[in-house]
Amino acid sequence: MAEAADNQGIGPSPARRWLRRTASLIIGAPLVAALLAVPAAPAAQAGVPAKTPTGSETVKVSLDTVSPSAPVKGDTLTVAGTVTNRGKDTITQAQVDLRVGSRLFGRTSIDTAAQRTGYVPGGDPAPLGGAYTVKFAKLRSGTSQDFTLSVPVDELDLGDDGVYQLGVSLTGQTAHAPYDHVLGIQRTFLPWQEEERDSRTKITYLWPLIASAHVTAETNSDDQQTPVFADDDLAAELAPGGRLEQMVSLGSQLPVTWVIDPDLLAGVDAMATGYRVKSGDTTVTGKNHAVAKKWLTSLEAAVSDSKVVALPFADPDLASLAHRGKNVSGALSHLQTATELAGSTVQTVLHVKPSTDFAWPVDGAIDPSIVDVATSAGAHKVIARSDSLEETGGLSYTPTAARPIGGGTTAVVSDARLSTAFEGDMSKAGSSTLAVQKFLALTLALSEQDTDEERSIVVAPQRMPTAAQAQSMATALHALDDGRWTKPLGLVEAAEAKPDSDATTTIPRSSQYPKKLRSQELPTQAFQDIKSTQVSLNNFQVILTQPERVVSPFGNAVNRSMSTSWRGRPLEAQQYRDSVRTYLQSLVNEVQIISKSDVTLSGRSATIPVTVQNRLLQGVDHLVLRLKSENATRLNLNDGGAVAERPIRIAAGHSQSVKFDAAANVNGQVQMTAQLYTEDGTPYGGEMHFTVKVSEVTPTVLLVIAGGLLLLVLAGIRMYTQRKRANADGTDGDNGGEPEQPSDPTPDTSPESRAPSDSGEKVER
C-alpha cells in the first residue's frame, strides 16, 4: 500500500520518513568517514618534518685539517675543522675535545673503524681535556663554529709504531638534556712511526692523463687539414685550475708513473697549432691556442725525467671488445692499429719514448677473454686489481703486485683499497682530509704486515680524476715524501719484480665479471657500426689520389668510437659514431654520376655522353664507369655488347663527360644504367638510370626520302631550263621554284666518334 501511495503522489507518513532518515544516516556514516579519512592521511604525512638528528649525531663535526698528516716526535699536531648544530635546540656549554684511541692492527680493523658512526660509551677513549679544548658558550640551531686544536705529539701518549684512531667530539647541554653529553663526533686515523723502517714498501702510483673524445673525423679544406672539434670543452680542462692542468701541475712534483692516452696529446697538439670548432652547421676558429701550448710545454717538462706508459690510441675499451666486439670481424684489428700509433704519437709530441707494453682494463677487472684481447695487440702486461684477482691462498699479507698468469703475460695487480681511496667527492675539505688520513693509515698497516721481504704495491686510481681528487692524491703522496715506510717505484720496474710464489695467479671466470661494469659496455651494434664505417672508408680511399688525407682522420675517429670514455654515456657514443659515418658518406657522395635526361637516337649509330662529377678537394682515380643497356637487341654498346666500361680519372673540383658508342637496331625505348665501380669491381655510389628513345631509319622511309630528293632534282632541272630559255629570249624569268627546305634537325647525340673527352670542366661549388 505504501508503494501504491507513493506512485499516486501521496507522501509517506511522518513515522516512515523518520525511519528512512535514520537508516540513511546509519548506512552513510562509514562512507563519509572513509571519504574524509582518505585526504587526511597524505595531509598529515606531508606535514611531518624530516627526522632531526639526535643524540651523538646532533652535531656534525668536520675535520678539515690534520697537520702533519703523519707526525713524528717533537711535532705539534694541529686539528682544525667546523662543528654544525643540526638539532632543534641551542647547545650550551659546548666543548670540542681531542680523543686518541688505541692502536689498530691490520687493514681490516681500519676498514671497520672507518665505518663507525656516533659515540659509543666505553668504546671511545676519554678526551685529552686540559688545555687542549675549545669552548663555545652557545651553539644555536643551524649555526656553525670553526675550531682549531693544537697539541704536542708527546702529549698524545702514543706507544709503538702503527695506526691510531683519532677523534674529535663536541660535548654540551640542551634544554631537553641539561647535562654534559656527547652531541657529535668524527673519527680519523693517525699514522705514527718515529724512524725509517729497515724494510720499506715500494709504492707505484699511476698518474693518468686521459680525457673524453673531442676531435671529430672532419678536417678543414686547407692544406694543413685543420682538425675540427665537436666542442671547445677541452680548453676548460687545460686552463689554470682545470682538471688536466692540475694533473700536470701536481704530478710534476710527485714520484709517479704517467699513464697517457695518446689521443689526448694529439688533440691538444692540434689545438696548439690551429683548430676549428663546430658551431651549428658550420665551424669557427678555435681560440685557445695559448692554453694548449702552455699545457703541452708544462707536460713535456714534467715527464722529461719520468716514466711514461702509453695506452693504445684513444684508450679502447678492452672489456667491450672482449665481450661484445671480438665476434665482429675486423674489430680487433683496430686495437692493433691503436697500439702501433701510441708510441709514435707520444714521441712526436713529448719527445720521450714511452712503454707500450701495458693494457689497462676498466677498474682492473679481468677475465680470460679480456686478457686474450689485451695481449692480442702485443701487450704482455695487464694492469688488474685485487678485487678482481682476489687472493684465495689465505695469505696474511698483501703480495707483490706482479704475478705470472700464463702465456708469458704478467698481471700487475693494483691494491683495491688504495686505488679507490679518492673516488668520492673530494671538493669538501673534510672529505679530503679523511681520505688522505685513511690512505696513509692503510699504507702503514700494509708495511707492518708480517713478511720479511720488501714488496711492490701498485696504486691505479680512477681513469679521469677530478681536480679535487687529484689534489687529495697529491696531498697523500707528499705525506710519504720522507720515506719512513714507503719508497717510490716505476710501473715498469714493478712489473719486473720477483713474483710472490704464494700469490693467486688464476684468472677469474667470465661469469665473475662485475655486472655493473658489464652493463656499461659498448653494445655489439657499436662494433657493427664501426665495421660498416671501416668498409666504406676502405672503398673510398682506393679511388683517391691522396688517400692519407682521409685515412688518418677517419682511422683516429674509428679508434675514438671504441674509447673507454664512452662508458655510462651510450647516447653520446652513438651520436659520435653516427657523426663519423654521416660525414664519411657525405664525402663519398661528392663523387657521383650526374643525373641525365632521356636521350633520343635518330640514327643507326651515335655516342651517349655520361658525366661524372668530383667535388672533392683532391683528384680521384682507379674508378670505372660502366654503362649497361637493358635491351641489347634494340640498342647495343661497345661493338655489339650490352655493357661498356670507361676508366675514370678526374681532377679536384672538376667533372668529366665520358662518351659511349651506341648502335640502334630496332625502334623503341631502352632503359640504360650507369654505375661507378672501383677497380676491384666494388660498386661505388648509386646507380643512375635514364631512357634512350631509338628512332631507327627504315627502308620505306629511305625510299620516300629518295623519291623526294628525285623530285627536288627534277624541279631544279626544270628551273634551270626555264632560266636558260628566258635568257635566250632576253627576258628575266622567275625561278618558279619552291623555297629551300631547312635541313633536318641536329640530333642531341653526336655522330659516331671514339675520341676521348677533355680532361674535365671546373665544378662550381
Side-chain angles (χ1 to χ4, degrees):
M1 291 179 62
E3 292 177 0
D6 289 339
N7 290 337
Q8 294 175 5
I10 302 173
S13 65
R16 187 178 298 276
R17 288 196 299 269
W18 179 85
L19 287 173
R20 287 182 178 178
R21 285 196 299 269
T22 305
S24 299
L25 290 172
I26 295 172
I27 295 172
L31 178 60
V32 173
L35 291 173
L36 292 175
V38 170
Q45 186 176 1
V48 174
K51 185 178 179 181
T52 303
T54 59
S56 60
E57 296 184 358
T58 302
V59 174
K60 179 181 179 181
V61 181
S62 175
L63 304 183
D64 300 337
T65 302
V66 176
S67 179
S69 298
V72 295
K73 192 172 183 179
D75 284 342
T76 296
L77 178 67
T78 299
V79 179
T82 305
V83 290
T84 303
N85 183 2
R86 301 185 296 178
K88 292 182 178 180
D89 300 332
T90 297
I91 299 173
T92 58
Q93 301 183 35
Q95 179 173 303
V96 179
D97 290 293
L98 195 64
R99 300 168 183 259
V100 180
S102 57
R103 182 186 174 196
L104 299 173
F105 293 90
R107 302 208 294 173
T108 301
S109 64
I110 293 175
D111 292 336
T112 302
Q115 296 172 0
R116 291 175 58 192
T117 59
Y119 175 69
V120 181
D124 283 300
L128 290 179
Y132 311 117
T133 64
V134 174
K135 297 181 179 181
F136 305 112
K138 289 183 179 181
L139 187 62
R140 299 184 186 279
S141 176
T143 62
S144 300
Q145 288 282 357
D146 296 333
F147 68 87
T148 300
L149 294 169
S150 295
V151 56
V153 172
D154 296 343
E155 297 293 326
L156 298 179
D157 195 24
L158 300 176
D160 295 335
D161 293 348
V163 177
Y164 291 82
Q165 191 161 37
L166 182 70
V168 174
S169 64
L170 182 137
T171 303
Q173 301 181 10
T174 64
H176 289 85
Y179 52 86
D180 290 339
H181 59 290
V182 176
L183 294 171
I185 188 170
Q186 181 61 271
R187 304 177 184 84
T188 186
F189 304 99
L190 189 66
W192 169 246
Q193 184 166 306
E194 294 191 65
E195 299 178 356
E196 180 181 313
R197 295 175 61 90
D198 294 334
S199 177
R200 295 179 294 168
T201 301
K202 301 172 184 176
I203 296 287
T204 301
Y205 207 102
L206 307 189
W207 203 252
L209 286 183
I210 301 172
S212 56
H214 294 277
V215 185
T216 69
E218 187 174 348
T219 57
N220 203 34
S221 58
D222 53 7
D223 293 337
Q224 293 75 27
Q225 283 191 278
T226 301
V228 176
F229 284 54
D231 51 57
D232 214 0
D233 295 348
L234 185 58
E237 296 191 68
L238 302 173
R243 184 182 72 86
L244 291 172
E245 187 276 335
Q246 285 290 286
M247 290 294 294
V248 172
S249 175
L250 297 168
S252 64
Q253 306 171 43
L254 298 170
V256 294
T257 295
W258 299 81
V259 180
I260 300 177
D261 175 8
D263 183 34
L264 172 60
L265 299 183
V268 180
D269 187 55
M271 290 179 65
T273 55
Y275 69 110
R276 297 187 67 82
V277 181
K278 292 186 74 67
S279 178
D281 294 332
T282 185
T283 63
V284 297
T285 302
K287 300 179 180 180
N288 290 287
H289 312 284
V291 169
K293 287 181 180 179
K294 182 178 180 181
W295 187 83
L296 280 179
T297 301
S298 299
L299 177 59
E300 185 176 355
V303 303
S304 59
D305 296 323
S306 303
K307 301 294 183 180
V308 176
V309 170
L311 298 174
F313 192 92
D315 188 21
D317 191 334
L318 301 177
S320 293
L321 271 167
H323 298 154
R324 315 289 179 96
K326 69 177 181 180
N327 293 327
V328 178
S329 61
L332 291 183
S333 64
H334 298 299
L335 179 60
Q336 178 69 43
T337 303
T339 301
E340 294 170 353
L341 185 59
S344 60
T345 302
V346 174
Q347 278 190 282
T348 300
V349 178
L350 296 182
H351 307 105
V352 296
K353 185 176 181 179
S355 171
T356 59
D357 201 23
F358 289 86
W360 189 13
V362 174
D363 288 356
I366 62 173
D367 61 23
S369 63
I370 294 175
V371 173
D372 288 344
V373 166
T375 57
S376 67
H380 297 94
K381 304 175 182 67
V382 180
I383 302 171
R385 204 165 74 182
S386 61
D387 54 354
S388 178
L389 199 64
E390 295 181 343
E391 295 304 318
T392 58
L395 292 179
S396 60
Y397 59 90
T398 302
T400 287
R403 61 196 69 179
I405 55 175
T409 303
T410 299
V412 183
V413 184
S414 64
D415 185 83
R417 283 185 175 95
L418 299 177
S419 298
T420 59
F422 301 101
E423 288 189 350
D425 180 9
M426 299 290 113
S427 60
K428 298 179 181 179
S431 300
S432 176
T433 296
L434 295 181
V436 169
Q437 294 304 123
K438 184 178 179 182
F439 179 88
L440 298 175
L442 289 172
T443 59
L444 179 55
L446 189 151
S447 298
E448 290 184 323
Q449 290 173 348
D450 187 15
T451 177
D452 295 332
E453 296 184 4
E454 287 187 344
R455 288 159 296 156
S456 171
I457 304 300
V458 172
V459 182
Q462 55 273 34
R463 259 178 160 73
M464 291 190 283
T466 65
Q469 289 171 341
Q471 291 163 2
S472 298
M473 294 190 297
T475 299
L477 290 177
H478 278 306
L480 297 174
D481 282 344
D482 56 13
R484 277 176 283 162
W485 62 86
T486 64
K487 58 183 176 182
L489 184 69
L491 181 61
V492 174
E493 291 77 15
E496 296 172 349
K498 181 181 178 181
D500 193 313
S501 59
D502 296 326
T504 296
T505 58
T506 303
I507 302 172
R509 300 186 301 274
S510 295
S511 60
Q512 296 175 284
Y513 190 79
K515 293 181 179 179
K516 180 180 179 181
L517 294 181
R518 193 180 292 271
S519 67
Q520 297 175 345
E521 293 174 351
L522 293 171
T524 302
Q525 183 61 47
F527 296 98
Q528 292 172 344
D529 292 344
I530 291 170
K531 176 183 177 181
S532 175
T533 299
Q534 187 63 51
V535 170
S536 297
L537 179 61
N538 293 342
N539 293 337
F540 181 51
Q541 69 182 47
V542 297
I543 74 166
L544 303 176
T545 56
Q546 296 176 287
E548 67 280 357
R549 289 179 62 89
V550 170
V551 172
S552 294
F554 275 101
N556 293 342
V558 165
N559 287 330
R560 294 184 191 105
S561 298
M562 301 187 299
S563 175
T564 303
S565 66
W566 297 121
R567 280 189 170 248
R569 301 190 298 150
L571 179 60
E572 291 92 332
Q574 182 68 60
Q575 290 172 338
Y576 186 84
R577 295 194 301 273
D578 290 344
S579 69
V580 175
R581 186 167 60 251
T582 301
Y583 181 60
L584 176 58
Q585 190 59 48
S586 72
L587 294 181
V588 171
N589 293 339
E590 296 286 32
V591 179
Q592 61 179 334
I593 303 172
I594 301 299
S595 295
K596 185 176 182 62
S597 59
D598 293 345
V599 176
T600 300
L601 295 183
S602 57
R604 284 184 175 274
S605 62
T607 58
I608 301 176
V610 178
T611 302
V612 181
Q613 185 183 57
N614 172 23
R615 294 176 61 88
L616 294 172
L617 298 172
Q618 63 171 297
V620 296
D621 197 357
H622 309 296
L623 271 175
V624 173
L625 175 60
R626 183 180 300 172
L627 184 63
K628 179 181 179 182
S629 170
E630 302 297 337
N631 190 338
T633 301
R634 180 170 293 169
L635 179 68
N636 60 63
L637 303 166
N638 198 26
D639 298 329
V643 178
E645 293 183 350
R646 296 287 186 272
I648 299 296
R649 183 173 186 176
I650 313 174
H654 285 70
S655 63
Q656 179 181 359
S657 182
V658 183
K659 298 176 181 179
F660 292 88
D661 298 335
N665 300 314
V666 182
N667 288 345
Q669 294 185 348
V670 180
Q671 294 296 319
M672 307 295 290
T673 301
Q675 170 73 62
L676 288 170
Y677 290 86
T678 58
E679 288 184 338
D680 64 356
T682 302
Y684 183 93
E687 296 179 339
M688 191 273 288
H689 302 277
F690 63 97
T691 302
V692 173
K693 299 177 181 178
V694 178
S695 299
E696 183 187 4
V697 182
T698 64
T700 301
V701 173
L702 291 175
L703 289 175
V704 172
I705 294 174
L709 290 174
L710 179 60
L711 291 174
L712 288 173
V713 171
L714 292 175
I717 293 173
R718 181 173 177 273
M719 292 172 60
Y720 173 77
T721 303
Q722 288 178 344
R723 286 181 179 179
K724 186 174 182 180
R725 288 177 180 177
N727 291 333
D729 295 338
T731 61
D732 292 332
D734 185 77
N735 60 15
E738 298 178 1
E740 295 183 3
Q741 299 295 320
S743 63
D744 289 321
T746 302
D748 65 350
T749 57
S750 60
E752 180 176 1
S753 172
R754 298 179 182 274
S757 61
D758 57 18
S759 61
E761 56 179 310
K762 182 69 176 180
V763 176
E764 296 296 334
R765 301 197 62 179

